[in-house]
Amino acid sequence: MIGPPQHGVRLFNVSSMLSNFLAAPGGKTAIVHLVNYSDYPVENVAVHYLGEYKHATLIAPGAADRALEVYKTEEGWGVDVERVGVCATIRLEP
């Protein structure tokens, strides 16, 4: 029997955004790329993910890196991103 995936990501409160989850070999760190395909910035995006990543940093063009508050979800962990213009990256660490 195959168990549940060790890593993955799900977006909430948004329909015009794609995500890509990439974990480093060994899974110690990971990144989530967010790409907004709408003509306007997207606000209040909830990003839920699997894995034991309890520290998250938002990296966005033209802005300083910013720590995100990580919270427990039913299936894993989550962070909220206030606003995404065209793109952003979330760096996840243990």
Side-chain angles (χ1 to χ4, degrees), residues 18-48:
L18 293 179
S19 64
N20 188 28
F21 181 96
L22 300 167
K28 290 290 185 186
T29 60
I31 57 172
V32 179
H33 293 295
L34 302 173
V35 180
N36 176 12
Y37 286 96
S38 70
D39 292 336
Y40 53 87
V42 175
E43 297 180 346
N44 303 317
V45 179
V47 180
H48 291 187

Side-chain angles (χ1 to χ4, degrees), residues 6-85:
Q6 295 294 316
H7 305 287
V9 67
R10 180 177 289 178
L11 303 180
F12 294 90
N13 304 331
V14 65
S15 62
S16 63
M17 188 172 292
L18 293 179
S19 64
N20 188 28
F21 181 96
L22 300 167
K28 290 290 185 186
T29 60
I31 57 172
V32 179
H33 293 295
L34 302 173
V35 180
N36 176 12
Y37 286 96
S38 70
D39 292 336
Y40 53 87
V42 175
E43 297 180 346
N44 303 317
V45 179
V47 180
H48 291 187
Y49 56 88
L50 300 176
E52 292 294 320
Y53 303 107
K54 298 178 183 165
H55 296 90
T57 304
L58 180 66
I59 304 163
D65 293 2
R66 187 169 60 87
L68 298 174
E69 181 179 337
V70 176
Y71 54 86
K72 186 77 173 118
T73 67
E74 194 171 303
E75 296 179 349
W77 299 90
V79 295
D80 294 331
V81 179
E82 292 176 17
R83 181 181 169 104
V84 177

